[in-house]
Amino acid sequence: MFKIIISALLAWLITHFIKFLLMIKKNGKLDFKVWYKPGGMPSGHSATVTALTLAVYFEQGFSALFAVVLVLA
């Protein structure tokens, strides 16, 4: 279960780091609002949900928990 949580959090962190770097390239300055501002691409929410779904699948296989996570994703 620890791997599932770590993978979801890591996906969120990597996505927002990429977004942060893209904003530096686009605007030429540091913008720390990217870390908590919703919206935009890449999507931190989509990356987190996808990582969570895949981690549950890899850990549990086709199970009731995977079915719930997949439907909610």
Side-chain angles (χ1 to χ4, degrees):
M1 184 168 73
F2 185 69
K3 292 180 203 176
I4 295 171
I5 295 170
I6 292 298
S7 66
L9 291 175
L10 194 59
W12 180 88
L13 185 67
I14 291 170
T15 305
H16 278 79
F17 183 71
I18 291 170
K19 190 184 296 190
F20 181 71
L21 293 177
L22 289 173
M23 285 296 156
I24 290 173
K25 184 177 180 186
K26 180 181 175 185
N27 299 330
K29 62 180 181 175
L30 296 176
D31 184 13
F32 291 101
K33 294 178 187 174
V34 168
W35 289 98
Y36 59 86
K37 191 167 65 173
M41 288 300 288
S43 172
H45 178 262
S46 295
T48 304
V49 170
T50 303
L52 177 68
T53 304
L54 284 173
V56 168
Y57 171 72
F58 289 143
E59 188 78 20
Q60 303 282 324
F62 284 106
S63 64
L65 178 60
F66 174 69
V68 170
V69 173
L70 183 64
V71 168
L72 292 176

